[in-house]
Amino acid sequence: MKTECRYKLRLYVTSTGARSSRAIVNVRRICEENLRGIYDLDIVDIGLHPQLASSEQLVAAPTLVKLLPLPVRRFVGDMSQTARILSGLNLAADPTGAEG
Amino acid sequence: MQAKPTDIPHDSPKDSAQALLRENAELRARLAEAEETLRALSNGELDAVVVGADVYRLESASDATDRFRRDVLAQMEDAVLALDVKGHVIYLNPAAERHLGLSAAQVLGLALEKVYTQEWLSPADEADFQAALDKAGFWRGRSRHIAPDGRKRLVESSVSRMRDTKGAVIGSLAVIRDVSEQAASEAALLESRARLQFTLDAARIGAWDLDLQTGTARRSARFDRCFGYSEPPESWTYQIFLAHLHPEDRSLIERGFQEAIDSSGEWHFECRVVWSDSSVHWIEAHGKVFTEHDKPRRMLGIVFDATERKHVQLALVDADKRKDEFLATLAHELRNPLAPISHSLQILRLSKDKQVHERAQSMIERQLAQMVHLVDDLLDVSRISQGKLELRREWIEIAAVLQNAVDTSQPLIESRNHELVVELPGRTVLVDADMTRLTQVVSNLLNNAAKYTPDGGRILLCAAFNGDSVEITVTDSGIGIPKAMLPRVFDMFTQINRRLERSQGGLGIGLALVKRLVEMHGGSVTARSEGENLGTTLVVRLPAIQGLAPVTPAKPAAVVSQEEGSGLRVLVVDDNRDSADSLVIALTLNGHVTATAYDGEEALSKAEDFQPDAVLLDIGLPGISGYEAARRMRAQPWGREIVLLALSGWGQEEDQQRSHEAGFDQHLVKPVDPNVLTDLLQRACGGTRSR
């Protein structure tokens, strides 16, 4: 586990969306359970900031972006696929999302 | 699924191998992302899709509605928090961030209890909260929020269940307002209200609130008591209030009320109110108009019972007035003897006649004695008031007291031509008393009777034994005392009719002194009168020791005087015989022919017979006053040309004016220097004769 580096995460949502709400709760749960004390989570409403959506090359909301540690990784959906996200964050031994 | 490689770097072989590996991994990740996006889309995990600069919502709510909702929430002063079914925070507005002191990024997704702990104000509240949410889906109430740092806040919140379109519960929405400050000011308000109530109660102040539209008023119990009600009357209006006012005060109060309303100002007054038992009470009230849209709507005020204060105030004003009158009378009384004394001194200088000298001397002695008596009375009154007067008591015979008193008062009684009858009980009566003081008491009563009885009246002095007490009664046929004045005749400085009194003299302390001296002897004194001009009876009751033998009554005396010379013919009119006589002597010595009269009637008849060039007329005469005498003289054929000079102890502007109106040529203030008078007469009469 790479604990020296803080995780910098950004979650793009639409504030009134049901999946966005779910995504918020799920991401927070994952972070609190696995990254407690070493993460910064930004939650950005793309309804309020549509220009961010295009500059960050988003295609959908909700989207979670791992800005740090590099490499940048994006996850799309309501973040209920915990195992997939954990592996994307380099937190799980078996990266199910990486198979061809 | 195909990934499209972009730029392939041409680096060193080692580096390029590393780069290729990295790129490979990156491509795989991108591929995974794309797969993920499609999966999420097909699983319905997305709310919006971004194409270029546009965000496409996948739900029915339009972007505009959404923005509107967001703006409203952002603008709200109240904190708004949305929770999912499990109590995680899924939304908070800027006010909520301020309320919590945490940013949305810190709070979103957290379980609510990690953000703050809710503390119920009473145990029942929590049950109410659950029941209300389950039953109505809504709860509103107060509770305390405890932040993670321990800070407590009193909040008022409303919590409602959120449901999706199918009616399933998807969470809850809380709107929270910090009411700590409000609660503090509410508490302060309650305290200040309690303090006001305490103040009103302690000061016995009633409160009222008058609706200016309807005229009806709400009042406190204390208000009702000011109007004589121990139980609150059913209704109260401005009209009912007016009906309780003393009729004499009503119009003034109504005017003040109208002015206050017209100016939207304040209303201050004190007035009399009449209770249902017809008793009259004083109130003091203050009110203030309150407006609504610039129109007077209500008047708020207070009222309290001012009866006691008012009575004290009125008594004080009355005492002050009596004191002023007393001082004026005192000055007058002290000056009165000065005229005869000054005249007598003139006589002593001008005349060589031994007999004339003796008369002048005895006049001075009499006038001095009167002044001394006056000053003694004053001193006695003040000594008694200060408790410094001591009685030298011994067993004395009441007959001796009466005899001494008669001896003392004889000159005054004789000068007024009164008839004095003394009746004693047929046995010896002893009293334990101070001879000097008791003599003073009886003598004062006799002097009083002599003064307030027109010349030639009757005075009865009577002592009667009554088992264990003796009653000394002085009855006269004089001017009497009006019923209303009876209780006050023993008060200090009381005289019944100030104007009338001027001719009688006296300070109004004689009877006050009598009362105090009698009370020091353990007795009492009362006054009776059937009314004006029906005489007065004063009764002194003293504790007696034994009975006594009869005493012989005293006899009356009389004085007459008239002299003639040459020069002007002058008629002198004054009821103070010494004053008149001394002036006549002085004028005679100055070469005038004189005549004397001692009252108004006599003046008129003497004037007609004597045909004077000039008349010196005292104003304060018994019977016809000097003013009236002057008017009547002027009405006669012989009286049009004569010189009329007013002589008075009073020299105010007003007195001068009245003399002028009555037809006097000049108003002189006593004492008048005979030389000045002679000059004046010469000039005045010369003027009259040359006409």
Side-chain angles (χ1 to χ4, degrees):
Chain A
M1 275 244 258
K2 301 174 181 177
T3 52
E4 303 83 19
C5 179
R6 282 186 79 81
Y7 278 77
K8 189 166 170 56
L9 307 172
R10 186 173 290 155
L11 177 63
Y12 292 91
V13 296
T14 59
S15 68
T16 52
R19 291 99 189 154
S20 293
S21 298
R22 267 207 305 277
I24 290 169
V25 174
N26 285 333
V27 169
R28 183 67 75 182
R29 181 178 43 75
I30 292 165
C31 290
E32 284 292 299
E33 282 170 3
N34 300 284
L35 297 171
R36 192 174 196 136
I38 56 161
Y39 76 95
D40 297 310
L41 173 65
D42 256 358
I43 298 170
V44 176
D45 185 351
I46 57 165
L48 279 176
H49 308 285
Q51 73 287 356
L52 269 179
S54 61
S55 68
E56 291 289 331
Q57 298 180 321
L58 296 186
V59 290
T63 296
L64 177 69
V65 182
K66 172 177 74 94
L67 297 165
L68 284 174
L70 289 171
V72 173
R73 284 285 172 271
R74 291 179 178 75
F75 309 91
V76 179
D78 64 3
M79 308 299 152
S80 53
Q81 310 285 317
T82 310
R84 197 196 305 271
I85 293 164
L86 284 176
S87 91
L89 294 174
N90 302 333
L91 292 171
D94 141 61
T96 46
E99 65 194 8
Chain B
M1 211 42 57
Q2 206 164 2
K4 211 169 83 189
T6 44
D7 303 324
I8 300 169
H10 301 275
D11 287 329
S12 68
K14 267 184 248 161
D15 285 349
S16 50
Q18 282 292 324
L20 273 173
L21 272 177
R22 259 205 313 276
E23 194 175 316
N24 195 25
E26 186 66 31
L27 282 173
R28 235 193 285 161
R30 288 287 177 83
L31 184 63
E33 274 177 33
E35 265 179 7
E36 173 103 355
T37 307
L38 280 178
R39 180 200 57 77
L41 187 59
S42 61
N43 282 0
E45 289 181 18
L46 297 184
D47 286 324
V49 175
V50 182
V51 180
D54 294 318
V55 176
Y56 291 95
R57 283 169 192 281
L58 301 178
E59 291 208 330
S60 57
S62 77
D63 196 44
T65 331
D66 203 50
R67 184 173 294 275
F68 174 71
R69 250 185 246 149
R70 214 164 32 226
D71 287 349
V72 169
L73 289 169
Q75 292 299 317
M76 274 176 77
E77 292 289 337
D78 295 325
V80 179
L81 283 168
L83 306 178
D84 68 7
V85 272
K86 287 184 178 152
H88 297 106
V89 180
I90 53 173
Y91 172 81
L92 72 166
N93 70 348
E97 289 180 287
R98 289 196 296 275
H99 175 73
L100 298 170
L102 297 168
S103 70
Q106 287 171 288
V107 173
L108 282 170
L110 284 179
L112 186 62
E113 61 263 28
K114 296 239 170 99
V115 181
Y116 61 77
T117 318
Q118 176 144 313
E119 187 182 81
W120 298 101
L121 299 183
S122 85
D125 283 0
E126 185 168 13
D128 285 350
F129 169 74
Q130 282 305 339
L133 270 190
D134 290 346
K135 200 173 161 205
F138 180 79
W139 171 85
R140 188 188 186 102
R142 285 192 172 187
S143 61
R144 209 168 276 124
H145 284 179
I146 305 168
D149 63 4
R151 206 148 58 97
K152 285 191 181 186
R153 255 171 311 182
L154 186 71
V155 299
E156 172 143 341
S157 45
S158 56
V159 177
S160 48
R161 286 256 154 90
M162 287 194 295
R163 290 170 194 280
D164 64 13
T165 44
K166 287 165 203 143
V169 174
I170 55 166
S172 57
L173 187 74
V175 181
I176 299 161
R177 175 173 293 187
D178 188 340
V179 292
S180 305
E181 270 179 39
Q182 191 190 333
S185 56
E186 270 171 23
L189 184 67
L190 279 178
E191 192 196 316
S192 119
R193 206 177 278 171
R195 201 179 299 163
L196 174 66
Q197 192 55 49
F198 174 76
T199 309
L200 291 177
D201 286 347
R204 297 187 205 157
I205 294 172
W208 49 273
D209 178 352
L210 176 66
D211 183 327
L212 295 172
Q213 310 295 299
T214 61
T216 56
R218 292 186 297 129
R219 316 89 50 200
S220 66
R222 179 71 66 180
F223 177 100
D224 294 337
R225 242 170 286 160
C226 287
F227 292 85
Y229 298 100
S230 49
E231 294 293 321
E234 233 166 75
S235 64
W236 193 267
T237 64
Y238 177 63
Q239 290 306 323
I240 295 176
F241 159 75
L242 283 181
H244 281 76
L245 295 187
H246 192 284
E248 286 172 23
D249 296 349
R250 212 170 285 157
S251 62
L252 186 71
I253 301 305
E254 274 189 284
R255 212 177 318 138
F257 177 74
Q258 203 51 52
E259 278 168 16
I261 294 202
D262 292 345
S263 64
S264 292
E266 293 177 6
W267 189 31
H268 306 277
F269 65 89
E270 51 182 31
C271 70
R272 287 165 290 177
V273 293
V274 184
W275 289 13
S276 58
D277 62 2
S278 302
S279 58
V280 175
H281 302 253
W282 281 89
I283 56 164
E284 179 174 338
H286 303 274
K288 183 172 167 51
V289 173
F290 286 81
T291 56
E292 214 172 86
H293 309 302
D294 290 333
K295 277 192 184 144
R297 265 337 232 276
R298 295 162 74 195
M299 201 190 261
L300 294 184
I302 56 158
V303 65
F304 52 89
D305 195 304
T307 310
E308 212 172 300
R309 191 199 68 203
K310 207 67 197 175
H311 284 167
V312 171
Q313 221 171 40
L314 291 176
L316 204 63
V317 167
D318 188 55
D320 191 53
K321 197 176 129 216
R322 277 198 282 146
K323 184 208 73 191
D324 286 347
E325 284 173 359
F326 167 74
L327 284 176
T329 311
L330 178 63
H332 186 249
E333 286 300 306
L334 288 174
R335 195 163 57 180
N336 256 353
L338 295 179
I341 289 173
S342 135
H343 297 157
S344 299
L345 288 172
Q346 282 270 341
I347 293 164
L348 286 174
R349 207 169 48 239
L350 292 169
S351 172
K352 302 273 185 255
D353 189 333
K354 200 177 168 224
Q355 251 191 313
V356 172
H357 272 212
E358 271 170 22
R359 259 189 89 189
Q361 266 165 10
S362 73
M363 227 178 259
I364 293 175
E365 279 160 13
R366 265 205 303 279
Q367 295 298 332
L368 270 179
Q370 198 190 319
M371 287 184 86
V372 168
H373 181 74
L374 212 74
V375 173
D376 281 350
D377 269 6
L378 273 174
L379 286 175
D380 284 348
V381 166
S382 105
R383 258 185 241 138
I384 294 174
S385 313
Q386 295 173 47
K388 282 184 186 159
L389 190 106
E390 276 179 29
L391 294 180
R392 277 193 291 272
R393 293 174 96 147
E394 54 191 334
W395 285 19
I396 52 172
E397 227 185 293
I398 209 75
V401 175
L402 263 52
Q403 188 58 57
N404 283 348
V406 167
D407 286 348
T408 309
S409 301
Q410 190 85 358
L412 179 64
I413 294 169
E414 283 181 4
S415 75
R416 298 278 188 149
N417 287 325
H418 294 313
E419 184 194 347
L420 174 66
V421 178
V422 180
E423 280 178 19
L424 293 174
R427 46 185 295 190
T428 303
V429 178
L430 288 179
V431 288
D432 182 24
D434 183 323
M435 175 60 112
T436 316
R437 295 306 174 188
L438 209 49
T439 301
Q440 199 179 352
V441 165
V442 179
S443 168
N444 267 345
L445 293 181
L446 287 174
N447 289 349
N448 216 57
K451 262 192 251 172
Y452 297 110
T453 300
D455 288 8
R458 250 178 84 92
I459 298 170
L460 174 66
L461 171 62
C462 170
F465 181 58
N466 242 350
D468 54 358
S469 69
V470 59
E471 271 187 19
I472 303 167
T473 312
V474 176
T475 307
D476 64 46
S477 58
I479 59 170
I481 303 169
K483 276 247 151 55
M485 288 297 294
L486 276 174
R488 293 188 49 195
V489 291
F490 297 107
D491 288 357
M492 197 69 148
F493 314 139
T494 296
Q495 285 192 334
I496 290 128
N497 178 332
R498 188 59 50 184
R499 279 274 165 193
L500 205 83
E501 295 316 312
R502 288 182 172 189
S503 62
Q504 312 300 337
L507 285 177
I509 57 174
L511 287 182
L513 191 58
V514 163
K515 182 171 196 271
R516 289 171 198 211
L517 286 173
V518 168
E519 282 171 355
M520 283 179 79
H521 279 93
S524 65
V525 57
T526 51
R528 275 203 309 270
S529 177
E530 296 305 314
E532 254 176 277
N533 297 318
L534 293 172
T536 305
T537 302
L538 284 149
V539 184
V540 172
R541 244 175 240 97
L542 289 168
I545 296 164
Q546 276 181 36
L548 87 169
V551 175
T552 43
K555 50 199 178 310
V559 182
V560 188
S561 155
Q562 188 171 330
E563 299 200 16
E564 278 196 9
S566 60
L568 291 170
R569 296 174 70 79
V570 182
L571 173 61
V572 176
V573 187
D574 198 335
D575 65 322
N576 181 327
R577 285 166 190 246
D578 274 349
S579 200
D581 293 352
S582 61
L583 188 56
V584 160
I585 294 169
L587 289 169
T588 307
L589 288 170
N590 276 301
H592 300 293
V593 180
T594 57
T596 321
Y598 298 120
D599 64 45
E601 295 278 5
E602 196 187 356
L604 287 169
S605 60
K606 276 269 174 73
E608 190 150 21
D609 294 340
F610 182 64
Q611 296 284 312
D613 299 307
V615 182
L616 292 168
L617 201 49
D618 183 33
I619 297 298
L621 291 172
I624 298 173
S625 76
Y627 296 129
E628 184 54 28
R631 263 191 287 274
R632 291 199 197 171
M633 282 183 198
R634 283 290 188 224
Q636 298 298 324
W638 49 263
R640 280 177 209 137
E641 298 290 326
I642 61 174
V643 173
L644 282 181
L645 299 177
L647 277 179
S648 167
W650 309 89
Q652 299 296 306
E653 186 81 51
E654 171 200 346
D655 298 300
Q656 306 251 13
Q657 183 59 32
R658 284 190 66 185
S659 292
H660 182 71
E661 283 165 8
F664 282 105
D665 294 296
Q666 195 120 20
H667 181 101
L668 304 172
V669 179
K670 290 196 269 190
V672 182
D673 185 326
N675 290 330
V676 174
L677 191 56
T678 298
D679 273 8
L680 200 65
L681 284 171
Q682 296 292 6
R683 272 189 284 126
C685 291
T688 314
R689 276 169 183 170
S690 68
R691 261 189 253 154

